[in-house]
Amino acid sequence: MTLSQAEFNYVSTLVRKEASIVLAPGKEYLVEARLIPVARAVGSPNVNEFLSELQRRPNPAYQRRIIDALTTNETSWFRDREPFMALTDVVLPELIKSRASTRKIRIWSAASSSGQEAYSLAITMQENLPPGWTYEIMGTDISTEMVKRAEAAEYSQVEVNRGLPAQQLVQYFERAGAHWRITQQLRKNVSFRLMNLTAPLPAMQPFDIVFLRNVLIYFDVATKRTVLQSAAKLIRPDGWLFLGAAETTIGIDDNYERVAAGRTSAYRVRNGVPAGAPRRG
């Protein structure tokens, strides 16, 4: 059974409105596959009847489940490796010099999914900051389910096998039945909150490093520009922005410049616009 054009249009309009994600024609199979568990969970025999009933009788809770199902993205530990190597080899040595007076680093994992990226950043900080330094990592995601999972900090054996070296598993995790749980020592420096990057962002203290990876690819150009402008206001003048390998600010927001960072590239706000300052143009 496949989605009708009307059903696909309903879902794509909902996701565009609530999450600014563009579902182009041809994604019908993906949408149906993601929504089968949702339909079963609410007692519908199939996705078609679930969507038909939802259109007749709008249910915000069920609509939220659709958003969660379609915004759950691929993730793993130390994903793509190069950005984390850049932190170790380039970014942290520079920040350690420039932050000597405060000895504190703030990082934003802006599309943190189930938490692997944020905790990978925490492990990187634990292993590379000098004694006496502190760090804070905030992970945000549009999915309520993913935020709950990240806060629980428990992962299956299959999940920890995806990119996590055995040495770090032993050092930063403890057994929790059949799962593995992040140790309290690491969890105390990481927090999570629900956040829609395309909506006006809440007031936050500026960050030294922002990971905004593998999320811009789901937005149209105007939305990408809005998200990048919002992020620029929260990056310290000498801070760093990391995007996914298939993402760029070039041709979207000229207030950034791309710079080499080890074997990869990162972005910095041109002219060091102070975090929180009004944007140009």
Side-chain angles (χ1 to χ4, degrees), residues 125-177:
M125 296 301 108
Q126 285 285 136
E127 297 186 346
N128 291 280
L129 287 180
W133 281 65
T134 61
Y135 65 91
E136 293 179 2
I137 297 172
M138 184 179 72
T140 64
D141 201 87
I142 195 172
S143 167
T144 53
E145 182 62 28
M146 290 298 101
V147 170
K148 289 178 182 178
R149 285 213 58 212
E151 289 177 332
E154 287 191 13
Y155 300 93
S156 68
Q157 187 67 54
V158 171
E159 288 172 320
V160 298
N161 285 346
R162 299 195 63 206
L164 186 68
Q167 179 182 347
Q168 291 169 327
L169 174 63
V170 172
Q171 185 172 357
Y172 298 108
F173 290 73
E174 56 192 11
R175 276 289 188 180

Side-chain angles (χ1 to χ4, degrees), residues 11-214:
V11 173
S12 60
T13 299
L14 175 66
V15 173
R16 179 69 176 262
K17 177 183 177 183
E18 298 297 330
S20 298
I21 290 176
V22 178
L23 289 175
K27 299 288 188 180
E28 290 85 354
Y29 176 79
L30 169 67
V31 169
E32 184 174 18
R34 291 284 184 92
L35 294 186
I36 287 174
V38 178
R40 290 173 178 168
V42 302
S44 292
N46 54 58
V47 174
N48 304 79
E49 292 198 25
F50 169 59
L51 294 176
S52 295
E53 177 64 19
L54 195 56
Q55 291 177 79
R56 289 193 298 268
R57 299 179 182 179
N59 183 314
Y62 289 178
Q63 291 174 333
R64 183 72 251 177
R65 290 194 180 195
I66 291 175
I67 300 300
D68 284 356
L70 293 173
T71 56
T72 301
N73 299 320
E74 177 73 9
T75 188
S76 60
W77 302 93
F78 300 96
R79 186 176 181 184
D80 299 329
R81 283 290 169 178
E82 282 82 3
F84 293 92
M85 293 172 62
L87 288 184
T88 300
D89 299 340
V90 179
V91 175
L92 287 180
E94 179 180 306
L95 288 176
I96 287 169
K97 292 179 181 178
S98 61
R99 302 292 185 270
S101 61
T102 61
R103 297 196 299 177
K104 183 176 183 179
I105 303 292
R106 279 178 50 81
I107 306 176
W108 180 18
S109 172
S112 57
S113 188
S114 46
Q116 284 93 326
E117 179 179 88
Y119 291 123
S120 295
L121 289 166
I123 291 172
T124 303
M125 296 301 108
Q126 285 285 136
E127 297 186 346
N128 291 280
L129 287 180
W133 281 65
T134 61
Y135 65 91
E136 293 179 2
I137 297 172
M138 184 179 72
T140 64
D141 201 87
I142 195 172
S143 167
T144 53
E145 182 62 28
M146 290 298 101
V147 170
K148 289 178 182 178
R149 285 213 58 212
E151 289 177 332
E154 287 191 13
Y155 300 93
S156 68
Q157 187 67 54
V158 171
E159 288 172 320
V160 298
N161 285 346
R162 299 195 63 206
L164 186 68
Q167 179 182 347
Q168 291 169 327
L169 174 63
V170 172
Q171 185 172 357
Y172 298 108
F173 290 73
E174 56 192 11
R175 276 289 188 180
H179 289 183
W180 292 89
R181 181 188 297 120
I182 300 283
T183 61
Q184 183 58 36
Q185 178 188 11
L186 204 65
R187 292 173 64 185
K188 69 181 181 181
N189 300 299
V190 186
S191 63
F192 296 92
R193 62 191 293 185
L194 189 68
M195 189 176 296
N196 183 346
L197 297 175
T198 67
L201 300 182
M204 295 185 283
Q205 293 296 312
F207 297 93
D208 303 295
I209 302 165
V210 173
F211 266 44
L212 181 66
R213 305 192 68 239
N214 305 305

